[in-house]
Coordinates of all heavy atoms in Angstrom, one line a residue:
M18 N 0.7 3.7 -4.3 CA 0.2 3.7 -2.9 C 1.3 3.9 -1.9 O 1.1 4.5 -0.9 CB -0.6 2.4 -2.7 CG -1.8 2.3 -3.6 SD -2.7 0.8 -3.5 CE -3.7 1.0 -2.1
F19 N 2.4 3.2 -2.2 CA 3.6 3.3 -1.2 C 4.0 4.7 -1.1 O 4.2 5.2 0.0 CB 4.7 2.4 -1.8 CG 6.0 2.6 -1.0 CD1 6.2 2.0 0.2 CD2 7.0 3.5 -1.5 CE1 7.4 2.2 0.9 CE2 8.2 3.7 -0.8 CZ 8.4 3.0 0.4
H20 N 4.2 5.4 -2.2 CA 4.6 6.8 -2.1 C 3.6 7.8 -1.4 O 4.0 8.7 -0.7 CB 5.0 7.3 -3.5 CG 6.2 6.6 -4.1 ND1 7.5 6.7 -3.6 CD2 6.3 5.7 -5.1 CE1 8.3 5.9 -4.2 NE2 7.6 5.3 -5.2
A21 N 2.4 7.5 -1.7 CA 1.3 8.3 -1.0 C 1.4 8.1 0.5 O 1.3 9.0 1.3 CB 0.0 8.0 -1.5
A22 N 1.5 6.8 0.9 CA 1.6 6.5 2.3 C 2.9 7.1 3.0 O 2.8 7.7 4.0 CB 1.5 5.0 2.5
N23 N 3.9 7.0 2.2 CA 5.2 7.5 2.7 C 5.1 9.0 2.9 O 5.6 9.6 3.9 CB 6.3 7.1 1.7 CG 7.7 7.3 2.3 OD1 7.9 7.6 3.4 ND2 8.7 7.2 1.4
S24 N 4.5 9.7 1.9 CA 4.3 11.2 2.0 C 3.5 11.5 3.2 O 3.8 12.5 4.0 CB 3.7 11.7 0.8 OG 4.5 11.5 -0.3
L25 N 2.4 10.8 3.5 CA 1.6 11.0 4.6 C 2.4 10.9 5.9 O 2.3 11.8 6.8 CB 0.4 10.1 4.7 CG -0.5 10.1 5.9 CD1 -1.3 11.4 6.0 CD2 -1.5 8.9 5.9
I26 N 3.1 9.9 6.1 CA 3.9 9.6 7.3 C 4.9 10.7 7.5 O 5.1 11.3 8.6 CB 4.5 8.2 7.3 CG1 3.4 7.2 7.2 CG2 5.4 8.0 8.5 CD1 2.3 7.3 8.2
R27 N 5.6 11.0 6.4 CA 6.7 12.1 6.5 C 6.1 13.4 6.8 O 6.6 14.3 7.6 CB 7.5 12.1 5.2 CG 8.4 10.9 5.1 CD 9.2 10.9 3.8 NE 10.0 9.7 3.7 CZ 11.3 9.7 4.2 NH1 11.8 10.7 4.8 NH2 11.9 8.5 4.1
Y28 N 4.9 13.7 6.3 CA 4.2 15.0 6.5 C 3.9 15.1 8.0 O 4.0 16.2 8.6 CB 2.9 15.1 5.7 CG 2.1 16.3 6.0 CD1 2.4 17.5 5.5 CD2 0.9 16.2 6.8 CE1 1.7 18.6 5.8 CE2 0.2 17.3 7.1 CZ 0.5 18.5 6.6 OH -0.2 19.6 6.8
Q29 N 3.7 14.0 8.7 CA 3.4 14.0 10.1 C 4.6 14.0 11.0 O 4.6 14.0 12.2 CB 2.5 12.8 10.5 CG 1.1 12.9 9.8 CD 0.3 11.7 10.1 OE1 0.8 10.6 10.4 NE2 -1.0 11.8 9.9
G30 N 5.8 14.1 10.3 CA 7.0 14.2 11.1 C 7.7 12.8 11.3 O 8.7 12.8 12.1
Y31 N 7.2 11.8 10.7 CA 7.8 10.4 11.0 C 8.5 10.0 9.7 O 8.3 10.4 8.6 CB 6.7 9.4 11.3 CG 5.9 9.8 12.6 CD1 4.7 10.3 12.5 CD2 6.5 9.7 13.8 CE1 4.0 10.6 13.6 CE2 5.8 10.0 15.0 CZ 4.6 10.5 14.9 OH 3.9 10.8 16.0
R32 N 9.4 9.0 9.9 CA 10.1 8.3 8.8 C 9.9 6.8 8.9 O 10.0 6.3 10.0 CB 11.5 8.7 8.8 CG 11.8 10.1 8.4 CD 13.3 10.4 8.4 NE 14.1 9.2 8.3 CZ 15.4 9.3 8.3 NH1 16.1 10.4 8.4 NH2 16.1 8.2 8.2
P33 N 9.7 6.2 7.8 CA 9.7 4.7 7.9 C 11.0 4.1 8.2 O 12.1 4.7 7.9 CB 9.2 4.3 6.5 CG 9.6 5.4 5.6 CD 9.5 6.7 6.5
G34 N 11.1 3.0 8.9 CA 12.3 2.4 9.2 C 13.1 1.8 8.0 O 12.5 1.8 6.9
I35 N 14.3 1.4 8.2 CA 15.1 0.9 7.1 C 14.6 -0.5 6.7 O 14.5 -0.8 5.5 CB 16.6 0.8 7.5 CG1 17.1 2.3 7.7 CG2 17.4 0.2 6.5 CD1 18.5 2.4 8.3
K36 N 14.3 -1.3 7.7 CA 13.8 -2.7 7.4 C 12.2 -2.6 7.4 O 11.6 -1.9 8.2 CB 14.2 -3.7 8.4 CG 15.7 -4.0 8.3 CD 16.0 -5.1 9.4 CE 17.4 -5.6 9.2 NZ 17.7 -6.7 10.0
F37 N 11.6 -3.5 6.6 CA 10.2 -3.7 6.6 C 9.4 -2.3 6.4 O 8.4 -2.1 7.0 CB 9.7 -4.3 7.9 CG 10.4 -5.6 8.2 CD1 11.3 -5.7 9.3 CD2 10.2 -6.7 7.4 CE1 12.0 -6.8 9.6 CE2 10.9 -7.9 7.7 CZ 11.8 -8.0 8.8
Q38 N 9.9 -1.5 5.5 CA 9.3 -0.2 5.2 C 7.8 -0.3 4.8 O 7.0 0.4 5.3 CB 10.0 0.5 4.1 CG 11.3 1.2 4.5 CD 11.8 2.1 3.3 OE1 11.3 2.0 2.2 NE2 12.8 2.8 3.6
H39 N 7.5 -1.3 3.9 CA 6.2 -1.4 3.4 C 5.2 -1.8 4.6 O 4.1 -1.2 4.7 CB 6.1 -2.4 2.3 CG 6.7 -2.0 1.0 ND1 8.1 -2.1 0.8 CD2 6.3 -1.3 0.0 CE1 8.4 -1.6 -0.4 NE2 7.3 -1.1 -0.9
V40 N 5.6 -2.7 5.4 CA 4.8 -3.2 6.5 C 4.6 -2.1 7.5 O 3.5 -1.8 8.0 CB 5.4 -4.4 7.2 CG1 4.6 -4.8 8.4 CG2 5.5 -5.6 6.2
G41 N 5.7 -1.3 7.8 CA 5.6 -0.2 8.7 C 4.7 0.9 8.3 O 4.0 1.5 9.0
L42 N 4.8 1.2 7.0 CA 3.9 2.2 6.4 C 2.4 1.8 6.5 O 1.6 2.6 6.8 CB 4.3 2.4 4.9 CG 5.5 3.3 4.7 CD1 5.8 3.4 3.2 CD2 5.2 4.7 5.2
I43 N 2.2 0.5 6.2 CA 0.8 0.1 6.3 C 0.3 0.3 7.7 O -0.8 0.8 8.0 CB 0.7 -1.4 5.9 CG1 0.9 -1.4 4.3 CG2 -0.7 -2.0 6.3 CD1 1.1 -2.8 3.8
E44 N 1.1 -0.1 8.7 CA 0.6 0.0 10.1 C 0.5 1.5 10.5 O -0.5 1.8 11.2 CB 1.7 -0.7 11.0 CG 1.2 -0.8 12.5 CD -0.1 -1.5 12.6 OE1 -0.3 -2.6 11.9 OE2 -0.9 -1.1 13.5
A45 N 1.4 2.3 10.1 CA 1.3 3.8 10.4 C 0.1 4.4 9.8 O -0.6 5.2 10.4 CB 2.6 4.5 10.0
V46 N -0.2 4.1 8.5 CA -1.4 4.6 7.9 C -2.6 4.1 8.5 O -3.6 4.9 8.7 CB -1.3 4.2 6.3 CG1 -2.7 4.6 5.7 CG2 -0.2 5.0 5.6
K47 N -2.7 2.9 8.9 CA -3.8 2.4 9.6 C -4.2 3.2 10.9 O -5.3 3.6 11.1 CB -3.6 1.0 10.2 CG -3.9 -0.1 9.2 CD -3.8 -1.5 10.0 CE -3.5 -2.6 9.1 NZ -3.2 -3.8 9.8
R48 N -3.1 3.6 11.6 CA -3.3 4.4 12.8 C -3.6 5.8 12.5 O -4.2 6.5 13.4 CB -2.0 4.3 13.7 CG -1.8 2.9 14.2 CD -0.5 2.8 14.9 NE -0.2 1.4 15.3 CZ 0.8 1.1 16.1 NH1 1.6 2.0 16.6 NH2 1.0 -0.2 16.4
T49 N -3.3 6.3 11.3 CA -3.4 7.7 11.0 C -4.7 8.0 10.4 O -5.4 9.0 10.8 CB -2.3 8.1 10.0 OG1 -1.0 7.8 10.7 CG2 -2.3 9.6 9.7
I50 N -5.1 7.3 9.4 CA -6.3 7.7 8.6 C -7.6 7.0 9.1 O -8.7 7.4 8.6 CB -6.1 7.5 7.1 CG1 -5.9 6.1 6.7 CG2 -5.0 8.4 6.6 CD1 -5.8 5.9 5.2
G51 N -7.5 6.1 10.0 CA -8.7 5.6 10.6 C -9.5 4.4 10.0 O -9.0 3.9 8.9
E52 N -10.5 4.1 10.6 CA -11.3 2.9 10.2 C -12.0 3.0 8.8 O -12.2 2.0 8.2 CB -12.4 2.7 11.3 CG -12.0 2.6 12.7 CD -11.8 1.2 13.1 OE1 -12.6 0.4 12.6 OE2 -11.0 0.9 13.9
D53 N -12.2 4.2 8.4 CA -12.9 4.4 7.1 C -12.1 3.7 5.9 O -12.7 3.4 4.9 CB -13.2 5.8 6.8 CG -14.1 6.4 7.8 OD1 -14.9 5.7 8.5 OD2 -14.1 7.7 7.9
F54 N -10.8 3.6 6.1 CA -10.0 3.1 5.0 C -9.4 1.7 5.3 O -8.5 1.3 4.6 CB -8.8 4.1 4.8 CG -9.2 5.4 4.2 CD1 -9.6 6.5 5.0 CD2 -9.3 5.6 2.8 CE1 -10.0 7.7 4.4 CE2 -9.7 6.7 2.3 CZ -10.1 7.8 3.1
N55 N -10.0 1.0 6.2 CA -9.5 -0.3 6.5 C -9.5 -1.3 5.3 O -8.6 -2.0 5.1 CB -10.2 -0.9 7.7 CG -9.7 -0.5 9.0 OD1 -8.6 0.1 9.1 ND2 -10.4 -0.8 10.1
E56 N -10.6 -1.2 4.6 CA -10.7 -2.1 3.4 C -9.6 -1.8 2.4 O -9.0 -2.7 1.8 CB -12.1 -1.9 2.8 CG -12.3 -2.9 1.6 CD -13.7 -2.7 1.0 OE1 -14.7 -2.3 1.7 OE2 -13.9 -3.0 -0.2
L57 N -9.4 -0.4 2.1 CA -8.4 -0.1 1.1 C -7.0 -0.4 1.7 O -6.1 -0.9 0.9 CB -8.4 1.4 0.8 CG -9.5 1.9 -0.1 CD1 -9.6 3.4 -0.2 CD2 -9.3 1.2 -1.5
I58 N -6.8 -0.3 2.9 CA -5.5 -0.6 3.5 C -5.2 -2.1 3.4 O -4.1 -2.6 3.1 CB -5.4 -0.2 5.0 CG1 -5.3 1.4 5.0 CG2 -4.1 -0.7 5.7 CD1 -5.5 2.0 6.4
L59 N -6.3 -2.9 3.6 CA -6.1 -4.4 3.5 C -5.8 -4.7 2.0 O -4.9 -5.6 1.8 CB -7.4 -5.1 3.9 CG -7.5 -6.6 3.8 CD1 -6.4 -7.2 4.8 CD2 -8.8 -7.1 4.2
K60 N -6.4 -4.1 1.1 CA -6.1 -4.3 -0.3 C -4.6 -3.9 -0.6 O -3.9 -4.6 -1.4 CB -7.1 -3.5 -1.2 CG -8.4 -4.1 -1.3 CD -9.4 -3.3 -2.1 CE -10.8 -3.9 -2.1 NZ -11.7 -3.1 -3.0
Y61 N -4.2 -2.8 -0.1 CA -2.8 -2.3 -0.2 C -1.9 -3.4 0.3 O -0.9 -3.7 -0.4 CB -2.7 -1.0 0.5 CG -1.2 -0.4 0.5 CD1 -0.4 -0.5 -0.6 CD2 -0.8 0.2 1.7 CE1 0.9 0.0 -0.5 CE2 0.5 0.7 1.7 CZ 1.3 0.6 0.7 OH 2.6 1.1 0.7
D62 N -2.2 -3.9 1.4 CA -1.3 -5.0 2.0 C -1.3 -6.2 1.1 O -0.2 -6.8 0.9 CB -1.8 -5.3 3.4 CG -0.7 -6.1 4.2 OD1 0.4 -5.9 4.0 OD2 -1.1 -6.9 5.0
K63 N -2.4 -6.6 0.5 CA -2.4 -7.8 -0.4 C -1.6 -7.5 -1.6 O -0.8 -8.3 -2.1 CB -3.8 -8.1 -0.8 CG -4.6 -8.8 0.4 CD -6.0 -9.1 0.0 CE -6.7 -9.8 1.1 NZ -8.1 -10.1 0.8
L64 N -1.7 -6.2 -2.1 CA -0.9 -5.9 -3.3 C 0.6 -5.8 -3.0 O 1.5 -6.2 -3.8 CB -1.3 -4.5 -3.8 CG -2.6 -4.5 -4.6 CD1 -3.0 -3.0 -4.9 CD2 -2.5 -5.3 -5.8
R65 N 0.9 -5.4 -1.7 CA 2.3 -5.5 -1.3 C 2.9 -6.9 -1.3 O 4.0 -7.1 -1.8 CB 2.4 -4.9 0.2 CG 3.8 -5.0 0.8 CD 3.8 -4.7 2.3 NE 3.0 -5.7 3.0 CZ 3.5 -6.9 3.4 NH1 4.7 -7.3 3.0 NH2 2.8 -7.7 4.1
I66 N 2.1 -7.8 -0.9 CA 2.5 -9.2 -0.9 C 2.7 -9.7 -2.3 O 3.7 -10.4 -2.6 CB 1.5 -10.1 -0.1 CG1 1.6 -9.7 1.4 CG2 1.8 -11.6 -0.3 CD1 0.4 -10.2 2.2
K67 N 1.8 -9.4 -3.2 CA 1.9 -9.7 -4.6 C 3.2 -9.1 -5.2 O 3.9 -9.8 -6.0 CB 0.7 -9.4 -5.4 CG -0.5 -10.2 -5.1 CD -1.7 -9.8 -6.0 CE -2.9 -10.7 -5.7 NZ -4.0 -10.4 -6.6
R68 N 3.4 -7.8 -4.9 CA 4.6 -7.2 -5.5 C 5.9 -7.8 -5.0 O 6.8 -8.0 -5.7 CB 4.6 -5.7 -5.1 CG 5.8 -4.9 -5.7 CD 6.2 -3.8 -4.8 NE 6.7 -4.1 -3.5 CZ 7.9 -4.5 -3.2 NH1 8.9 -4.6 -4.1 NH2 8.3 -4.8 -2.0
N69 N 5.8 -8.2 -3.8 CA 7.0 -8.9 -3.2 C 7.3 -10.2 -3.9 O 8.4 -10.5 -4.3 CB 6.8 -9.1 -1.7 CG 8.0 -9.6 -1.0 OD1 8.4 -10.8 -1.2 ND2 8.7 -8.8 -0.2
K70 N 6.3 -11.0 -4.2 CA 6.4 -12.3 -4.9 C 6.9 -12.0 -6.3 O 7.8 -12.8 -6.8 CB 5.1 -13.0 -4.9 CG 4.7 -13.6 -3.6 CD 3.4 -14.4 -3.7 CE 3.0 -15.0 -2.4 NZ 1.7 -15.7 -2.4
F71 N 6.4 -11.0 -6.9 CA 6.8 -10.7 -8.3 C 8.3 -10.2 -8.3 O 9.1 -10.7 -9.1 CB 6.0 -9.6 -8.9 CG 6.5 -9.1 -10.2 CD1 6.3 -9.9 -11.4 CD2 7.1 -7.9 -10.3 CE1 6.8 -9.4 -12.6 CE2 7.5 -7.4 -11.6 CZ 7.4 -8.2 -12.7
E72 N 8.6 -9.3 -7.4 CA 10.0 -8.7 -7.3 C 11.0 -9.7 -7.0 O 12.1 -9.7 -7.6 CB 9.9 -7.6 -6.3 CG 11.2 -6.7 -6.2 CD 11.2 -5.7 -7.3 OE1 10.2 -5.3 -7.9 OE2 12.3 -5.3 -7.7
Y73 N 10.8 -10.6 -6.0 CA 11.8 -11.5 -5.5 C 11.7 -12.9 -5.9 O 12.7 -13.6 -5.8 CB 11.9 -11.4 -4.0 CG 12.2 -10.0 -3.5 CD1 11.2 -9.2 -2.9 CD2 13.4 -9.4 -3.7 CE1 11.4 -7.9 -2.6 CE2 13.7 -8.1 -3.3 CZ 12.7 -7.4 -2.7 OH 13.0 -6.1 -2.4
Q74 N 10.5 -13.3 -6.4 CA 10.3 -14.7 -6.8 C 9.9 -14.9 -8.2 O 9.7 -16.0 -8.7 CB 9.4 -15.4 -5.9 CG 9.8 -15.4 -4.4 CD 8.7 -15.8 -3.5 OE1 7.8 -16.5 -3.9 NE2 8.8 -15.5 -2.2
A75 N 9.7 -13.7 -8.9 CA 9.2 -13.8 -10.3 C 7.8 -14.5 -10.4 O 7.6 -15.2 -11.4 CB 10.2 -14.3 -11.3
I76 N 7.0 -14.4 -9.4 CA 5.7 -15.1 -9.4 C 4.6 -14.0 -9.4 O 4.6 -13.2 -8.5 CB 5.5 -15.9 -8.2 CG1 6.5 -17.0 -8.1 CG2 4.1 -16.5 -8.1 CD1 6.5 -17.8 -6.8
Y77 N 3.8 -13.9 -10.5 CA 2.8 -12.9 -10.5 C 1.8 -13.3 -11.6 O 2.2 -13.3 -12.8 CB 3.4 -11.5 -10.7 CG 2.4 -10.4 -10.4 CD1 2.2 -10.1 -9.1 CD2 1.8 -9.7 -11.4 CE1 1.3 -9.0 -8.8 CE2 0.9 -8.7 -11.1 CZ 0.7 -8.3 -9.8 OH -0.1 -7.3 -9.4
N78 N 0.6 -13.5 -11.3 CA -0.4 -13.7 -12.3 C -1.6 -12.9 -11.8 O -2.1 -13.0 -10.7 CB -0.7 -15.1 -12.6 CG -1.3 -15.9 -11.5 OD1 -1.8 -15.3 -10.5 ND2 -1.4 -17.2 -11.5
I79 N -2.1 -12.1 -12.7 CA -3.2 -11.2 -12.4 C -4.0 -11.0 -13.7 O -3.5 -10.9 -14.8 CB -2.8 -9.9 -11.8 CG1 -3.9 -9.0 -11.3 CG2 -1.9 -9.1 -12.8 CD1 -3.5 -7.8 -10.5
T80 N -5.3 -11.0 -13.6 CA -6.2 -10.7 -14.7 C -6.2 -9.3 -15.0 O -5.9 -8.4 -14.2 CB -7.6 -11.3 -14.5 OG1 -8.2 -10.5 -13.5 CG2 -7.6 -12.7 -14.1
K81 N -6.7 -9.0 -16.2 CA -6.8 -7.6 -16.6 C -7.8 -6.9 -15.7 O -7.6 -5.7 -15.3 CB -7.3 -7.5 -18.1 CG -6.9 -6.3 -18.8 CD -7.3 -6.4 -20.3 CE -6.3 -5.6 -21.1 NZ -6.6 -5.7 -22.5
T82 N -8.9 -7.6 -15.4 CA -9.9 -7.0 -14.5 C -9.4 -6.7 -13.1 O -9.6 -5.6 -12.5 CB -11.1 -8.0 -14.4 OG1 -11.6 -8.2 -15.7 CG2 -12.2 -7.4 -13.5
Q83 N -8.6 -7.7 -12.5 CA -8.0 -7.4 -11.2 C -7.1 -6.2 -11.3 O -7.0 -5.4 -10.4 CB -7.2 -8.6 -10.8 CG -8.0 -9.8 -10.4 CD -7.2 -11.0 -10.1 OE1 -6.2 -11.3 -10.9 NE2 -7.5 -11.8 -9.1
L84 N -6.3 -6.1 -12.4 CA -5.4 -5.0 -12.5 C -6.1 -3.6 -12.6 O -5.8 -2.7 -11.9 CB -4.5 -5.1 -13.8 CG -3.5 -4.0 -14.0 CD1 -2.5 -3.9 -12.9 CD2 -2.8 -4.3 -15.4
K85 N -7.2 -3.6 -13.3 CA -8.0 -2.4 -13.4 C -8.6 -2.0 -12.0 O -8.6 -0.9 -11.6 CB -9.2 -2.5 -14.4 CG -8.7 -2.5 -15.8 CD -9.8 -2.7 -16.8 CE -9.3 -2.7 -18.3 NZ -10.4 -2.8 -19.2
N86 N -9.1 -3.0 -11.3 CA -9.7 -2.8 -10.0 C -8.6 -2.3 -9.0 O -8.9 -1.5 -8.2 CB -10.3 -4.1 -9.4 CG -11.6 -4.4 -10.2 OD1 -12.3 -3.5 -10.8 ND2 -12.0 -5.7 -10.1
N87 N -7.4 -2.9 -9.1 CA -6.3 -2.4 -8.2 C -5.9 -1.0 -8.5 O -5.7 -0.2 -7.6 CB -5.1 -3.3 -8.4 CG -5.3 -4.7 -7.9 OD1 -6.1 -5.0 -7.0 ND2 -4.5 -5.7 -8.4
I88 N -6.0 -0.6 -9.7 CA -5.7 0.8 -10.1 C -6.7 1.7 -9.5 O -6.4 2.8 -8.9 CB -5.5 1.0 -11.6 CG1 -4.2 0.3 -12.1 CG2 -5.5 2.5 -12.0 CD1 -4.1 0.1 -13.6
K89 N -8.0 1.3 -9.6 CA -9.1 2.1 -9.0 C -8.9 2.3 -7.5 O -9.1 3.3 -6.9 CB -10.4 1.5 -9.4 CG -10.8 1.7 -10.8 CD -12.2 1.0 -11.1 CE -12.5 1.1 -12.6 NZ -13.7 0.3 -12.9
D90 N -8.6 1.1 -6.8 CA -8.4 1.2 -5.4 C -7.2 2.1 -5.0 O -7.3 2.8 -4.0 CB -8.1 -0.3 -4.9 CG -9.4 -1.1 -4.9 OD1 -10.5 -0.6 -4.9 OD2 -9.2 -2.4 -5.0
A91 N -6.2 2.0 -5.8 CA -5.0 2.9 -5.5 C -5.4 4.4 -5.7 O -5.0 5.2 -4.8 CB -3.9 2.6 -6.5
E92 N -6.2 4.7 -6.7 CA -6.7 6.1 -6.8 C -7.5 6.5 -5.6 O -7.3 7.6 -5.1 CB -7.5 6.2 -8.1 CG -6.7 6.1 -9.3 CD -7.5 6.0 -10.6 OE1 -8.7 5.8 -10.6 OE2 -6.9 6.2 -11.7
K93 N -8.4 5.6 -5.1 CA -9.2 5.9 -3.9 C -8.3 6.2 -2.7 O -8.5 7.1 -1.9 CB -10.2 4.8 -3.6 CG -11.3 4.7 -4.6 CD -12.2 3.5 -4.2 CE -13.1 3.1 -5.3 NZ -13.8 1.9 -5.0
F94 N -7.3 5.3 -2.6 CA -6.4 5.4 -1.5 C -5.6 6.7 -1.5 O -5.6 7.4 -0.5 CB -5.4 4.2 -1.5 CG -4.4 4.2 -0.4 CD1 -4.8 3.6 0.8 CD2 -3.1 4.6 -0.6 CE1 -3.8 3.5 1.9 CE2 -2.2 4.6 0.5 CZ -2.6 4.0 1.7
V95 N -5.1 7.1 -2.6 CA -4.3 8.3 -2.7 C -5.2 9.5 -2.5 O -4.9 10.4 -1.7 CB -3.6 8.4 -4.1 CG1 -3.0 9.8 -4.3 CG2 -2.6 7.3 -4.2
L96 N -6.4 9.5 -3.1 CA -7.3 10.6 -2.9 C -7.8 10.7 -1.4 O -8.0 11.8 -0.9 CB -8.6 10.5 -3.8 CG -8.3 10.7 -5.2 CD1 -9.5 10.4 -6.1 CD2 -7.8 12.1 -5.5
G97 N -7.9 9.6 -0.7 CA -8.3 9.6 0.7 C -7.2 10.2 1.6 O -7.5 10.8 2.6
I98 N -6.0 10.0 1.2 CA -4.9 10.5 2.0 C -4.8 12.0 1.9 O -4.5 12.8 2.8 CB -3.5 9.8 1.6 CG1 -3.5 8.4 2.2 CG2 -2.3 10.6 2.2 CD1 -2.3 7.6 1.8
F99 N -4.9 12.5 0.6 CA -4.8 13.9 0.4 C -6.1 14.5 0.3 O -6.4 15.6 0.2 CB -4.0 14.1 -0.9 CG -2.6 13.6 -0.8 CD1 -2.2 12.4 -1.5 CD2 -1.6 14.2 -0.1 CE1 -0.9 11.9 -1.4 CE2 -0.3 13.7 0.1 CZ 0.0 12.5 -0.6

């Protein structure tokens, strides 16, 4: 999802900042693709927070069902951008 959002922003001639890239991308995508994707963007933001906890605090617990749903949401997000 990060790379799809990054591609969208770069395609429009923008670049994410050096700090807070993930947060900046979420905000830029919100403004770009509109209200129809608010639910997916919110899910993306929640996954960003979970990834951060896993990456920097080694805290991550997720069920197999949640993982499958997150993958489906990511596919919808990417297809919606392109």
Side-chain angles (χ1 to χ4, degrees):
M18 294 173 86
F19 171 81
H20 294 292
N23 193 7
S24 296
L25 173 67
I26 300 309
R27 288 179 182 271
Y28 176 77
Q29 295 175 340
Y31 300 106
R32 288 181 21 179
I35 295 171
K36 289 186 171 185
F37 307 110
Q38 277 188 358
H39 292 86
V40 176
L42 280 175
I43 290 169
E44 190 58 39
V46 170
K47 272 188 206 175
R48 295 177 185 187
T49 301
I50 62 176
E52 303 266 328
D53 296 339
F54 289 89
N55 278 349
E56 185 178 333
L57 283 174
I58 291 169
L59 182 62
K60 288 179 181 182
Y61 173 42
D62 195 31
K63 287 179 181 179
L64 287 173
R65 175 191 64 78
I66 293 166
K67 287 182 179 184
R68 184 208 60 87
N69 188 287
K70 287 180 181 179
F71 172 75
E72 188 79 23
Y73 300 107
Q74 301 169 20
I76 299 171
Y77 196 75
N78 65 14
I79 187 169
T80 67
K81 207 174 212 181
T82 302
Q83 288 173 320
L84 181 60
K85 287 179 181 181
N86 289 338
N87 290 340
I88 291 170
K89 288 178 187 176
D90 290 336
E92 289 172 348
K93 289 178 194 173
F94 182 81
V95 171
L96 290 174
I98 287 177
F99 298 105

